[in-house]
Amino acid sequence: MTDAQDTAAETPLRTTGDGPPDDGVAADGAATAEPIPLLEPREGVPPVVADAEALARVVEAFAAGTGPVAVDAERASGYRYGQRAYLVQLRREGAGTALIDPVGCPDLSALGEALDGTEWILHAATQDLPCLREIGMLPSELFDTELAGRLAGFPRVGLGAMVESVLGYVLEKGHSAVDWSTRPLPEPWLRYAALDVELLVDLRDALEKELDRQGKLEWARQEFAAIAAAPPPPPRKDPWRRTSGMHKVRRRRQMAVVRELWIARDRIAQRRDVSPGKVLSDAAIVEAALALPADVQALTALPGFGTRMGRRQLEQWQAAVDRARALPDTQLPQPGQSVAGPPPPRAWADKDPAAAARLSAARTAISAMAESLNLPQENLITPDTVRRVCWEPPNDPTAESVAEVLAGHGARPWQIEQVTPALVAALRTPQP
């Protein structure tokens, strides 16, 4: 039984029923005893750190702590513009738990420097790393408990599910989608936030043992190192093309309407610091694009532009539509977004039947291999990598040439070792 489990079992406020399982991870991902509600952090809910003096004390405490540090961040997705952090939670042996307000303390680079060289434990690291990077925190080494769960073959890898199936505790998840930009943050929300890092170290240790037992620990280490070393993603080209319902928009003039409304909405949302969907819905943008309204009256009749919307708002949206209507044909967007790489697989049979045969063989082999290894196919090798290799294979598909191509697409050594033989066989599939 871990220290955290011992503490929980000894604290009546936090636990009910029998003690938690003490034999680690259940092979099928199921808890081995009745799960125990985790209701209160060990040392209680700490005060929120919101000024330089309090932050300095946290930096000192965490620099003096030992072992890995559990890290989490809360954003206000769906409420605010962008993905900035509105609360950062940390826990480390010898330092306890800290809750830091990035609004009051927007620069946490001193804390990041104090933890340099320390392993960070995050759950679904790629979700939190961008907002942590914005405030000066970036790990040199990490352990991702969600990814570890995927590699270990757990069917459910959310934090609550992992804590329950691995450690035998139930986390209260009722505040996961609240507006974390609210100030002051309510006490129940802070308790929830503190509990999110309460058992991350224990979860990490149990998953490390399970990965080691399955012979996958080195695979996980390579995956974690790749995440830690990855640069920030480049800005997305033509983000307006990702408007929900865009598949209904066929004509270039209609696409121009989507683009103009999207840009206008984004500018307003950024200025007001609200989620773009709260300014104007994607569905309304698509309705306007399909209808091409000639004036405000016609716009008002469309879903999403009702009479509850003020005249000034309606006029600004109609102005965006008018801009699109007035564009010369040469300035209208092209129907397809130019992307590097192979075409959609559904078109392969017509464009290149031999490539389609290779892809079919590769997919079948990768699926069988992932099932035998008890991990998701996309973690064994990304579907995009498989498509690229099958669309433009090496002239002579040997183990060496295929491995070189896989490495060029960012595959890790363990992935290359596992999938290369299957891909070589697939690339040598007889042509139809």
Side-chain angles (χ1 to χ4, degrees), residues 120 141 350:
W120 293 24
E141 181 182 352
D350 293 330

Side-chain angles (χ1 to χ4, degrees), residues 312-336:
R312 183 177 177 184
Q313 288 178 293
L314 290 167
E315 287 176 348
Q316 70 185 2
W317 301 132
Q318 184 60 44
V321 173
D322 292 344
R323 286 195 296 273
R325 290 169 60 93
L327 285 174
D329 289 350
T330 55
Q331 295 182 23
L332 295 177
Q334 295 301 316

Side-chain angles (χ1 to χ4, degrees), residues 280-300:
L280 187 68
S281 70
D282 280 9
I285 289 178
V286 170
E287 289 288 344
L290 296 176
L292 291 172
D295 52 36
V296 169
Q297 184 177 355
L299 181 70
T300 307

Side-chain angles (χ1 to χ4, degrees), residues 6 34 46 56 63 163 175 185 189 196 230 233 236 251 254 256 288 294 303 318 333-334 382 387 389 415 425:
D6 278 330
E34 188 68 24
V163 167
H175 303 301
L185 286 165
W189 299 11
D196 265 2
R236 183 173 282 128
R251 293 158 49 194
Q254 295 172 331
Q318 184 60 44
Q334 295 301 316
T382 66
R387 288 192 295 269
V389 173
Q415 295 175 314

Side-chain angles (χ1 to χ4, degrees), residues 44 62 74 90 95 152 161 178 194 242 319 363 392 394 400 407 412:
F62 275 78
E74 305 294 348
L90 305 98
V178 299
R242 296 175 63 86
R363 283 175 162 175
E392 293 184 349
E400 292 75 17
R412 266 68 72 190

